[in-house]
Amino acid sequence: MLASLLGGIGLFLLGMWLMTEGLKLAAGGALQTVLESWTRSAPRGFLAGVLITALLQSSSAVTVATLGFVNAGLLNLAQAVWLIIGANVGTTMTGWLVALVGVKIDVGALALPLIGLGMLGRLAFRGRSRLYGAGQAMAGFGAFFLGVGVLQGGFSDLLHDVGPLVPSEATLISLLVALSVGVVVTVLTQSSSAAIALTLTAAASGEVPLPIAAMAVIGTNIGTTSTAILAALSATPAARRVAVGHVIFNAVAALAALALLSPLLWLSAWLTASINPHGETPAILAMFHTLFNLLGALIMALMGSRLIAFLQGRFVTAEEDLARPRYLDATLASVPALALRGVVLEVERMRDAAFEMVAHRRRLGPSGGAAAGGQLLPLGRAIRSFLGEMSAGPLPAPVTEALPDVIRAVQHLEEIERMSLRLRAPPADAEGASQSWSELRRALADSLEGPGAEVSDLELAYANLISDAERAYQQVKTDLLQATARGVLPVGHLDSALELADAHRRCAELAAKTHRRLGPWEGHPDAAHAEAEGHRAGD
């Protein structure tokens, strides 16, 4: 009996693995294409999750793939959450396969031919990945049904012997035990499909009361969150948010099923009877599984933007906090002068972060603890988007005058971030080849600091900062070339040293230009004052 149960579980899991991996091979790049292109809205993402999971027969595979795409930045939080919700609904297809086919088929008539034909196809089409995968998936379907058949026989023998120990009524203790069993089996097998198959095949004997079997089904939904949690332990903060969304959905669906257990079971029995007059217990449980997952999806849809906002506030890193605007309020976009002040404050914050990044990398280099590039790009996009909202209506003259400078400052800062990635310590022989490295570093430091408010002729001060950096760069370049010509500096070190010197020069030039663009508008009240005067004149 124990051998039959263990063998059935093993065959079922083997079949699920063969099906999932075979279908992924047969799909080729279609899975990534669907995940990337079908998730542009919440309904489409939900349907994509349902369809992909129903085809792959593995919500765990879709969940792990989704977390991977979130890690790679191919999916945003809202897209990924709705894909996960759809995957949870799609995984109910396993229950329908077991209920409508698995517990009714003649194993020898269907499962064994599928295994034979699938493995022959796998051998015949070796080297042709899609047909090879299709053959493997077919063999997986056969092993899946074979495992269900073996489990059914094992449970029939087991329940025949321990039938008197199975509660005949659904008490609170028996319901809680069934719920716990569903959770534990799913966590141990890392497959809610396997746990569902176990539950439905056990219920097919008629010895397990329907409410107790339903509680085990609810437990499988809770236990399946373990896959997402394990996959997210070493993932990015964005992927962890998706994993939390997965846990929240399954918790919400489980709580809804627990609160409405009797009504949902009655509705499941009524709907099943309308499809299948015999109304077998496995079919009722499959309907119940589908209904409470759909109910959970409906509740999540009602939570909508509040859920996404809650998730976005979790696991926030310093880099992500930097990328989020602090001063751009959509309600101010209709008051251009006030909105401009917010934009200037945001660009000042972007400038301070970019200059600190340059100073840090200049001291330590990219491997010395500085964060990776790309931190400021999302903030730059947010600023441009806000400026587009501002420009939708008429703008007063002071604001129109300021916008080109603000936009150019953002562009300079984005370029500074890219240039800063090239900053590092020069090779020792390149350092010794020129005495002007210190002048080049000083020119960069001066440009980052800016000319200061006490300077009377700011335009001349900006020009001097740029010319000082250019002069130091040309001297370092000349020294390096001469050292290479004398054989003091290896040719292999010349290119990297010149690239480093150029990065210093470009960062200094861009920093000076940023100060020049942003300087006239920092703390400058003229635009807001002109707007207020316009309102008073209108009154």
Short mmCIF file of all heavy atoms in Angstrom, two decimals, residues 62-115:
data_model
loop_
_atom_site.label_atom_id
_atom_site.label_comp_id
_atom_site.label_asym_id
_atom_site.label_seq_id
_atom_site.Cartn_x
_atom_site.Cartn_y
_atom_site.Cartn_z
N VAL A 62 5.52 28.97 -13.85
CA VAL A 62 5.14 30.33 -14.28
C VAL A 62 5.55 31.34 -13.22
O VAL A 62 6.04 32.43 -13.54
CB VAL A 62 3.63 30.40 -14.56
CG1 VAL A 62 3.21 31.82 -14.91
CG2 VAL A 62 3.26 29.45 -15.71
N THR A 63 5.38 30.99 -11.94
CA THR A 63 5.75 31.90 -10.86
C THR A 63 7.24 32.18 -10.88
O THR A 63 7.67 33.34 -10.81
CB THR A 63 5.34 31.31 -9.50
OG1 THR A 63 3.93 31.14 -9.46
CG2 THR A 63 5.77 32.22 -8.36
N VAL A 64 8.05 31.14 -10.98
CA VAL A 64 9.51 31.33 -10.99
C VAL A 64 9.94 32.09 -12.23
O VAL A 64 10.82 32.97 -12.17
CB VAL A 64 10.22 29.95 -10.92
CG1 VAL A 64 11.71 30.11 -11.11
CG2 VAL A 64 9.93 29.28 -9.58
N ALA A 65 9.33 31.79 -13.40
CA ALA A 65 9.65 32.54 -14.63
C ALA A 65 9.28 34.01 -14.47
O ALA A 65 10.04 34.90 -14.89
CB ALA A 65 8.92 31.94 -15.82
N THR A 66 8.14 34.28 -13.85
CA THR A 66 7.70 35.67 -13.65
C THR A 66 8.68 36.41 -12.76
O THR A 66 9.06 37.56 -13.04
CB THR A 66 6.30 35.70 -13.04
OG1 THR A 66 5.39 35.03 -13.91
CG2 THR A 66 5.83 37.13 -12.83
N LEU A 67 9.11 35.78 -11.67
CA LEU A 67 10.09 36.42 -10.79
C LEU A 67 11.39 36.71 -11.55
O LEU A 67 12.03 37.75 -11.35
CB LEU A 67 10.37 35.53 -9.58
CG LEU A 67 9.21 35.34 -8.60
CD1 LEU A 67 9.61 34.38 -7.49
CD2 LEU A 67 8.76 36.66 -8.02
N GLY A 68 11.78 35.79 -12.44
CA GLY A 68 12.98 36.01 -13.24
C GLY A 68 12.83 37.20 -14.17
O GLY A 68 13.76 38.01 -14.31
N PHE A 69 11.67 37.34 -14.81
CA PHE A 69 11.45 38.48 -15.70
C PHE A 69 11.38 39.79 -14.92
O PHE A 69 11.82 40.84 -15.41
CB PHE A 69 10.17 38.28 -16.51
CG PHE A 69 10.32 37.29 -17.63
CD1 PHE A 69 9.50 36.18 -17.72
CD2 PHE A 69 11.28 37.45 -18.60
CE1 PHE A 69 9.64 35.25 -18.74
CE2 PHE A 69 11.44 36.54 -19.63
CZ PHE A 69 10.62 35.44 -19.70
N VAL A 70 10.85 39.75 -13.70
CA VAL A 70 10.84 40.95 -12.87
C VAL A 70 12.27 41.32 -12.48
O VAL A 70 12.65 42.49 -12.50
CB VAL A 70 9.97 40.73 -11.61
CG1 VAL A 70 10.12 41.90 -10.64
CG2 VAL A 70 8.51 40.58 -12.01
N ASN A 71 13.07 40.32 -12.12
CA ASN A 71 14.49 40.57 -11.81
C ASN A 71 15.20 41.24 -12.97
O ASN A 71 16.04 42.12 -12.78
CB ASN A 71 15.20 39.25 -11.49
CG ASN A 71 15.02 38.84 -10.05
OD1 ASN A 71 14.80 39.67 -9.18
ND2 ASN A 71 15.10 37.56 -9.78
N ALA A 72 14.86 40.81 -14.20
CA ALA A 72 15.52 41.35 -15.40
C ALA A 72 14.91 42.68 -15.85
O ALA A 72 15.39 43.26 -16.80
CB ALA A 72 15.42 40.34 -16.54
N GLY A 73 13.86 43.14 -15.17
CA GLY A 73 13.23 44.40 -15.53
C GLY A 73 12.31 44.32 -16.72
O GLY A 73 11.90 45.35 -17.27
N LEU A 74 11.92 43.08 -17.16
CA LEU A 74 11.05 42.93 -18.33
C LEU A 74 9.58 43.10 -17.97
O LEU A 74 8.76 43.35 -18.85
CB LEU A 74 11.27 41.55 -18.97
CG LEU A 74 12.68 41.28 -19.50
CD1 LEU A 74 12.79 39.86 -20.00
CD2 LEU A 74 13.03 42.28 -20.61
N LEU A 75 9.25 42.93 -16.70
CA LEU A 75 7.87 43.11 -16.24
C LEU A 75 7.87 44.06 -15.06
O LEU A 75 8.76 44.00 -14.20
CB LEU A 75 7.25 41.77 -15.81
CG LEU A 75 7.04 40.69 -16.87
CD1 LEU A 75 6.50 39.42 -16.21
CD2 LEU A 75 6.08 41.16 -17.95
N ASN A 76 6.85 44.95 -15.00
CA ASN A 76 6.73 45.79 -13.82
C ASN A 76 5.87 45.08 -12.77
O ASN A 76 5.36 43.98 -12.98
CB ASN A 76 6.17 47.17 -14.17
CG ASN A 76 4.77 47.10 -14.77
OD1 ASN A 76 3.96 46.24 -14.39
ND2 ASN A 76 4.47 48.01 -15.68
N LEU A 77 5.69 45.74 -11.63
CA LEU A 77 5.02 45.09 -10.50
C LEU A 77 3.59 44.72 -10.83
O LEU A 77 3.15 43.59 -10.58
CB LEU A 77 5.08 46.02 -9.29
CG LEU A 77 4.39 45.51 -8.02
CD1 LEU A 77 5.04 44.21 -7.55
CD2 LEU A 77 4.46 46.56 -6.92
N ALA A 78 2.83 45.66 -11.41
CA ALA A 78 1.41 45.39 -11.69
C ALA A 78 1.26 44.24 -12.69
O ALA A 78 0.41 43.36 -12.51
CB ALA A 78 0.74 46.65 -12.22
N GLN A 79 2.09 44.24 -13.74
CA GLN A 79 2.02 43.15 -14.72
C GLN A 79 2.30 41.81 -14.06
O GLN A 79 1.59 40.82 -14.29
CB GLN A 79 3.05 43.40 -15.83
CG GLN A 79 2.73 44.57 -16.74
CD GLN A 79 3.88 44.86 -17.68
OE1 GLN A 79 5.05 44.79 -17.31
NE2 GLN A 79 3.56 45.20 -18.92
N ALA A 80 3.34 41.75 -13.23
CA ALA A 80 3.74 40.49 -12.62
C ALA A 80 2.69 39.98 -11.64
O ALA A 80 2.40 38.79 -11.59
CB ALA A 80 5.08 40.66 -11.91
N VAL A 81 2.11 40.89 -10.86
CA VAL A 81 1.10 40.47 -9.87
C VAL A 81 -0.10 39.85 -10.56
O VAL A 81 -0.60 38.79 -10.15
CB VAL A 81 0.67 41.68 -8.99
CG1 VAL A 81 -0.60 41.34 -8.21
CG2 VAL A 81 1.79 42.04 -8.03
N TRP A 82 -0.57 40.47 -11.65
CA TRP A 82 -1.74 39.92 -12.34
C TRP A 82 -1.40 38.63 -13.08
O TRP A 82 -2.24 37.75 -13.24
CB TRP A 82 -2.35 40.96 -13.27
CG TRP A 82 -3.21 41.89 -12.48
CD1 TRP A 82 -2.95 43.16 -12.10
CD2 TRP A 82 -4.49 41.55 -11.92
NE1 TRP A 82 -3.98 43.66 -11.34
CE2 TRP A 82 -4.94 42.69 -11.22
CE3 TRP A 82 -5.29 40.42 -11.94
CZ2 TRP A 82 -6.15 42.71 -10.54
CZ3 TRP A 82 -6.51 40.46 -11.26
CH2 TRP A 82 -6.92 41.58 -10.58
N LEU A 83 -0.17 38.51 -13.52
CA LEU A 83 0.26 37.24 -14.13
C LEU A 83 0.23 36.12 -13.09
O LEU A 83 -0.22 35.00 -13.36
CB LEU A 83 1.67 37.41 -14.69
CG LEU A 83 2.16 36.37 -15.69
CD1 LEU A 83 1.28 36.32 -16.93
CD2 LEU A 83 3.59 36.68 -16.09
N ILE A 84 0.69 36.42 -11.87
CA ILE A 84 0.69 35.43 -10.80
C ILE A 84 -0.74 35.05 -10.41
O ILE A 84 -1.06 33.87 -10.19
CB ILE A 84 1.44 35.99 -9.58
CG1 ILE A 84 2.92 36.14 -9.88
CG2 ILE A 84 1.23 35.09 -8.36
CD1 ILE A 84 3.67 34.85 -10.04
N ILE A 85 -1.63 36.04 -10.34
CA ILE A 85 -3.03 35.74 -10.01
C ILE A 85 -3.64 34.84 -11.08
O ILE A 85 -4.34 33.86 -10.78
CB ILE A 85 -3.82 37.06 -9.87
CG1 ILE A 85 -3.34 37.84 -8.65
CG2 ILE A 85 -5.32 36.77 -9.75
CD1 ILE A 85 -3.95 39.22 -8.52
N GLY A 86 -3.37 35.15 -12.34
CA GLY A 86 -3.86 34.29 -13.42
C GLY A 86 -3.29 32.89 -13.34
O GLY A 86 -3.99 31.90 -13.62
N ALA A 87 -2.01 32.78 -12.93
CA ALA A 87 -1.39 31.46 -12.81
C ALA A 87 -2.09 30.63 -11.74
O ALA A 87 -2.26 29.41 -11.90
CB ALA A 87 0.09 31.61 -12.48
N ASN A 88 -2.51 31.27 -10.66
CA ASN A 88 -3.22 30.53 -9.61
C ASN A 88 -4.57 30.03 -10.09
O ASN A 88 -5.01 28.94 -9.69
CB ASN A 88 -3.40 31.43 -8.38
CG ASN A 88 -2.17 31.48 -7.51
OD1 ASN A 88 -1.95 30.64 -6.66
ND2 ASN A 88 -1.32 32.48 -7.75
N VAL A 89 -5.24 30.81 -10.94
CA VAL A 89 -6.50 30.33 -11.51
C VAL A 89 -6.23 29.24 -12.54
O VAL A 89 -6.94 28.23 -12.62
CB VAL A 89 -7.28 31.50 -12.13
CG1 VAL A 89 -8.54 31.01 -12.83
CG2 VAL A 89 -7.66 32.52 -11.06
N GLY A 90 -5.18 29.41 -13.34
CA GLY A 90 -4.86 28.44 -14.37
C GLY A 90 -4.48 27.08 -13.82
O GLY A 90 -4.74 26.05 -14.46
N THR A 91 -3.91 27.06 -12.61
CA THR A 91 -3.48 25.77 -12.06
C THR A 91 -4.66 24.90 -11.64
O THR A 91 -4.49 23.71 -11.39
CB THR A 91 -2.55 26.00 -10.84
OG1 THR A 91 -1.83 24.81 -10.57
CG2 THR A 91 -3.35 26.39 -9.60
N THR A 92 -5.87 25.47 -11.60
CA THR A 92 -7.06 24.66 -11.29
C THR A 92 -7.36 23.67 -12.42
O THR A 92 -8.15 22.74 -12.22
CB THR A 92 -8.28 25.55 -11.04
OG1 THR A 92 -8.59 26.29 -12.23
CG2 THR A 92 -8.03 26.54 -9.91
N MET A 93 -6.75 23.88 -13.59
CA MET A 93 -6.96 22.95 -14.70
C MET A 93 -6.47 21.55 -14.34
O MET A 93 -7.02 20.54 -14.81
CB MET A 93 -6.22 23.46 -15.94
CG MET A 93 -6.40 22.57 -17.17
SD MET A 93 -8.13 22.41 -17.67
CE MET A 93 -8.46 24.11 -18.19
N THR A 94 -5.45 21.45 -13.47
CA THR A 94 -4.97 20.14 -13.05
C THR A 94 -6.08 19.36 -12.35
O THR A 94 -6.26 18.16 -12.58
CB THR A 94 -3.76 20.29 -12.10
OG1 THR A 94 -2.73 21.02 -12.76
CG2 THR A 94 -3.24 18.94 -11.67
N GLY A 95 -6.82 20.06 -11.49
CA GLY A 95 -7.93 19.41 -10.80
C GLY A 95 -8.97 18.88 -11.77
O GLY A 95 -9.51 17.78 -11.59
N TRP A 96 -9.26 19.66 -12.81
CA TRP A 96 -10.24 19.21 -13.81
C TRP A 96 -9.72 17.99 -14.58
O TRP A 96 -10.50 17.08 -14.90
CB TRP A 96 -10.57 20.34 -14.77
CG TRP A 96 -11.44 21.39 -14.14
CD1 TRP A 96 -11.09 22.67 -13.78
CD2 TRP A 96 -12.81 21.25 -13.78
NE1 TRP A 96 -12.14 23.32 -13.22
CE2 TRP A 96 -13.23 22.47 -13.21
CE3 TRP A 96 -13.73 20.21 -13.87
CZ2 TRP A 96 -14.52 22.69 -12.75
CZ3 TRP A 96 -15.04 20.41 -13.41
CH2 TRP A 96 -15.41 21.64 -12.85
N LEU A 97 -8.42 17.97 -14.90
CA LEU A 97 -7.86 16.81 -15.59
C LEU A 97 -8.01 15.55 -14.73
O LEU A 97 -8.38 14.48 -15.22
CB LEU A 97 -6.39 17.04 -15.91
CG LEU A 97 -6.05 17.91 -17.12
CD1 LEU A 97 -4.55 18.16 -17.19
CD2 LEU A 97 -6.54 17.24 -18.40
N VAL A 98 -7.69 15.70 -13.45
CA VAL A 98 -7.80 14.55 -12.55
C VAL A 98 -9.25 14.12 -12.40
O VAL A 98 -9.59 12.93 -12.45
CB VAL A 98 -7.17 14.88 -11.18
CG1 VAL A 98 -7.41 13.74 -10.19
CG2 VAL A 98 -5.68 15.15 -11.32
N ALA A 99 -10.15 15.11 -12.22
CA ALA A 99 -11.55 14.81 -11.94
C ALA A 99 -12.27 14.23 -13.14
O ALA A 99 -13.07 13.28 -13.01
CB ALA A 99 -12.27 16.07 -11.46
N LEU A 100 -12.04 14.78 -14.31
CA LEU A 100 -12.81 14.38 -15.49
C LEU A 100 -12.15 13.27 -16.30
O LEU A 100 -12.83 12.57 -17.06
CB LEU A 100 -13.05 15.59 -16.39
CG LEU A 100 -13.85 16.75 -15.75
CD1 LEU A 100 -14.03 17.88 -16.74
CD2 LEU A 100 -15.19 16.27 -15.22
N VAL A 101 -10.83 13.12 -16.16
CA VAL A 101 -10.12 12.11 -16.96
C VAL A 101 -9.37 11.13 -16.07
O VAL A 101 -9.50 9.92 -16.20
CB VAL A 101 -9.15 12.77 -17.96
CG1 VAL A 101 -8.47 11.72 -18.82
CG2 VAL A 101 -9.89 13.78 -18.84
N GLY A 102 -8.58 11.68 -15.13
CA GLY A 102 -7.65 10.85 -14.38
C GLY A 102 -8.29 9.75 -13.58
O GLY A 102 -7.77 8.63 -13.53
N VAL A 103 -9.40 10.04 -12.90
CA VAL A 103 -10.01 9.02 -12.04
C VAL A 103 -10.97 8.13 -12.81
O VAL A 103 -11.59 7.25 -12.24
CB VAL A 103 -10.73 9.68 -10.85
CG1 VAL A 103 -9.75 10.45 -9.98
CG2 VAL A 103 -11.86 10.59 -11.33
N LYS A 104 -11.13 8.38 -14.13
CA LYS A 104 -12.10 7.60 -14.91
C LYS A 104 -11.46 6.75 -16.00
O LYS A 104 -12.09 5.85 -16.53
CB LYS A 104 -13.12 8.55 -15.57
CG LYS A 104 -13.97 9.32 -14.57
CD LYS A 104 -14.96 10.20 -15.30
CE LYS A 104 -15.86 10.94 -14.33
NZ LYS A 104 -16.85 11.78 -15.03
N ILE A 105 -10.21 7.05 -16.35
CA ILE A 105 -9.63 6.40 -17.52
C ILE A 105 -9.18 4.98 -17.20
O ILE A 105 -8.93 4.63 -16.05
CB ILE A 105 -8.43 7.19 -18.07
CG1 ILE A 105 -7.28 7.17 -17.04
CG2 ILE A 105 -8.80 8.58 -18.45
CD1 ILE A 105 -5.96 7.64 -17.59
N ASP A 106 -9.08 4.20 -18.23
CA ASP A 106 -8.40 2.92 -18.17
C ASP A 106 -6.92 3.21 -18.38
O ASP A 106 -6.51 3.61 -19.48
CB ASP A 106 -8.94 1.99 -19.26
CG ASP A 106 -8.26 0.62 -19.26
OD1 ASP A 106 -7.21 0.48 -18.60
OD2 ASP A 106 -8.78 -0.28 -19.93
N VAL A 107 -6.12 3.08 -17.32
CA VAL A 107 -4.72 3.48 -17.38
C VAL A 107 -4.00 2.81 -18.55
O VAL A 107 -3.26 3.43 -19.31
CB VAL A 107 -4.03 3.15 -16.04
CG1 VAL A 107 -2.51 3.34 -16.16
CG2 VAL A 107 -4.58 4.02 -14.94
N GLY A 108 -4.23 1.54 -18.72
CA GLY A 108 -3.55 0.83 -19.81
C GLY A 108 -3.97 1.31 -21.17
O GLY A 108 -3.20 1.28 -22.12
N ALA A 109 -5.26 1.78 -21.30
CA ALA A 109 -5.78 2.19 -22.61
C ALA A 109 -5.28 3.56 -23.03
O ALA A 109 -5.18 3.84 -24.22
CB ALA A 109 -7.30 2.18 -22.59
N LEU A 110 -4.97 4.45 -22.08
CA LEU A 110 -4.58 5.82 -22.44
C LEU A 110 -3.16 6.16 -22.00
O LEU A 110 -2.35 6.61 -22.81
CB LEU A 110 -5.57 6.82 -21.83
CG LEU A 110 -5.26 8.30 -22.09
CD1 LEU A 110 -5.28 8.60 -23.59
CD2 LEU A 110 -6.24 9.20 -21.35
N ALA A 111 -2.86 5.94 -20.72
CA ALA A 111 -1.58 6.40 -20.19
C ALA A 111 -0.39 5.69 -20.83
O ALA A 111 0.57 6.34 -21.26
CB ALA A 111 -1.55 6.22 -18.67
N LEU A 112 -0.45 4.38 -20.92
CA LEU A 112 0.70 3.64 -21.45
C LEU A 112 0.98 3.95 -22.92
O LEU A 112 2.15 4.15 -23.29
CB LEU A 112 0.48 2.14 -21.24
CG LEU A 112 0.42 1.69 -19.76
CD1 LEU A 112 0.18 0.20 -19.67
CD2 LEU A 112 1.70 2.09 -19.03
N PRO A 113 -0.04 4.04 -23.80
CA PRO A 113 0.26 4.45 -25.18
C PRO A 113 0.86 5.85 -25.26
O PRO A 113 1.74 6.10 -26.10
CB PRO A 113 -1.11 4.39 -25.86
CG PRO A 113 -1.87 3.39 -25.08
CD PRO A 113 -1.43 3.58 -23.66
N LEU A 114 0.39 6.78 -24.41
CA LEU A 114 0.96 8.12 -24.43
C LEU A 114 2.44 8.10 -24.07
O LEU A 114 3.26 8.78 -24.69
CB LEU A 114 0.20 9.03 -23.45
CG LEU A 114 -1.16 9.56 -23.90
CD1 LEU A 114 -1.81 10.36 -22.78
CD2 LEU A 114 -1.01 10.45 -25.14
N ILE A 115 2.78 7.30 -23.05
CA ILE A 115 4.19 7.21 -22.67
C ILE A 115 5.01 6.62 -23.80
O ILE A 115 6.09 7.12 -24.15
CB ILE A 115 4.34 6.34 -21.39
CG1 ILE A 115 3.67 7.04 -20.20
CG2 ILE A 115 5.81 6.07 -21.09
CD1 ILE A 115 3.64 6.19 -18.94
#
